[in-house]
Amino acid sequence: VALVSVAEEEEEEEGTMGGGLKAELAFGMHVWPTLPSGSVAARPGPIMAAAEMFTIVLHGKGGHAAMPHLTIDPIVAASSLVVNLQSIVSRTISPLTSGVVSVTQISAGDAFNVIPASATLKGTIRALSTDMLMSLRSKVARTMEAVALSHGVNGTIEYSPDFYLPVVNDPELFGWSAGVGKLVSREGTLREAEVTMGGEDFAFLAAEVPSTFFFIGQGGEGDESHHIPRTDYGLHHPSFALDEDVLPIGVELHANLALRSLKKLLSSARESEEMTKVEL
């Protein structure tokens, strides 16, 4: 049994654990504030999205804000690009197909009376399959080129060295691991998780070996009179707070999955050995 933290996931080769051991099964989990504390959720098949990060730089011509006709304004071009990027998902892919293009950061200039020479946009592209992610990535680049041309600026786009794969729960393994999740849940049942467009490092392990990824509910209303914060704010919300009472649930889930899967693998190995003896 090997426990892998997020930092270690990025350092190890795909499908391997510390020491170069090849994994046979993998399990992961993440706290989930939109689910009530004490609950456990998962689903077979895709559960989290493939994700890509991009940085776009638009190069224009800077100058005085009082003389815009002597400049090539990258801020106007950037504003147009943000709007046009939103039409990629709404108008170029099927409404029944999931995809997200988000611009999450814009930076340009450092003075109120100067039109800057460049503007930088950063964001993410997300989809539930690698093929759709690549399609959206191409469309983002083409949209940038078209907007840059129409505004007379030069544009460049860079992507992250390695995009995130989608997290896909192995359907066959899920039938077994769902029982473990039900056993640990304080509700006595395993909830069906909604697919999320969030990305997760665990995807690289799940792509190599049969895996199951769980959500651990941690959403609580808190108690202001006792200075206990709400824990149902979304991930990355500025008021997000961890419900530490659900940590034992994660420990129980990890332990049960590890010990029960070892027993499962050992039993399968013995059955295979017996079959080999019979054949001989």
Side-chain angles (χ1 to χ4, degrees):
V1 177
L3 297 179
V4 184
S5 70
V6 171
E8 288 172 335
E9 284 181 21
E10 296 170 352
E11 296 167 0
E12 300 293 347
E13 293 182 7
E14 295 177 1
T16 65
M17 301 300 180
L21 297 176
K22 181 70 176 180
E24 294 187 57
L25 301 173
F27 303 95
M29 60 196 69
H30 199 298
V31 292
W32 215 250
T34 57
L35 293 170
S37 292
S39 63
V40 179
R43 66 180 299 119
I47 186 171
M48 300 187 76
E52 174 69 283
M53 295 174 285
F54 64 83
T55 298
I56 294 173
V57 181
L58 301 177
H59 300 275
K61 179 182 177 182
H64 202 291
M67 306 171 202
H69 59 295
L70 300 179
T71 72
I72 301 176
D73 194 339
I75 293 181
V76 173
S79 301
S80 177
L81 179 55
V82 171
V83 173
N84 278 276
L85 287 175
Q86 305 314 304
S87 67
I88 292 177
V89 172
S90 66
R91 288 297 177 269
T92 69
I93 69 173
S94 168
L96 303 179
T97 302
S98 297
V100 179
V101 177
S102 296
V103 177
T104 56
Q105 182 181 345
I106 302 176
S107 57
D110 54 14
F112 65 87
N113 62 341
V114 177
I115 293 174
S118 65
T120 300
L121 301 86
K122 297 182 179 182
T124 62
I125 306 167
R126 302 168 186 272
L128 291 179
S129 71
T130 301
D131 288 344
M132 178 54 67
L133 184 71
M134 293 299 100
S135 175
L136 291 175
R137 195 166 86 159
S138 176
K139 291 175 180 179
V140 167
R142 292 203 303 270
T143 300
M144 180 212 68
E145 293 168 358
V147 170
L149 180 63
S150 67
H151 286 270
V153 301
N154 294 318
T156 61
I157 184 168
E158 292 185 358
Y159 296 105
S160 56
D162 297 300
F163 62 84
Y164 283 71
L165 300 171
V167 178
V168 181
N169 282 341
D170 182 80
E172 184 176 349
L173 178 62
F174 180 82
W176 175 86
S177 54
V180 181
K182 178 180 178 180
L183 179 68
V184 171
S185 171
R186 299 301 186 259
E187 295 178 329
T189 186
L190 181 74
R191 293 192 177 211
E192 181 178 0
E194 292 184 1
V195 178
T196 173
M197 300 304 286
E200 168 60 44
D201 301 74
F202 184 79
F204 296 104
L205 292 176
E208 297 296 318
V209 297
S211 305
T212 304
F213 195 78
F214 295 87
F215 295 151
I216 308 297
Q218 74 129 54
E221 297 181 353
D223 186 346
E224 291 185 3
S225 63
H226 292 86
H227 305 288
I228 300 175
R230 288 177 52 183
T231 57
D232 58 355
Y233 288 106
L235 300 174
H236 301 303
H237 189 283
S239 297
F240 173 84
L242 175 66
D243 181 358
E244 296 185 1
D245 289 339
V246 308
L247 295 181
I249 299 177
V251 174
E252 289 180 37
L253 187 54
H254 267 306
N256 274 277
L257 287 168
L259 296 176
R260 293 172 186 273
S261 61
L262 285 176
K263 183 177 180 180
K264 170 182 170 67
L265 291 171
L266 181 59
S267 176
S268 297
R270 286 175 176 170
E271 290 179 5
S272 178
E273 183 179 351
E274 290 299 322
M275 291 180 63
T276 300
K277 290 180 180 180
V278 171
E279 292 175 357
L280 293 175

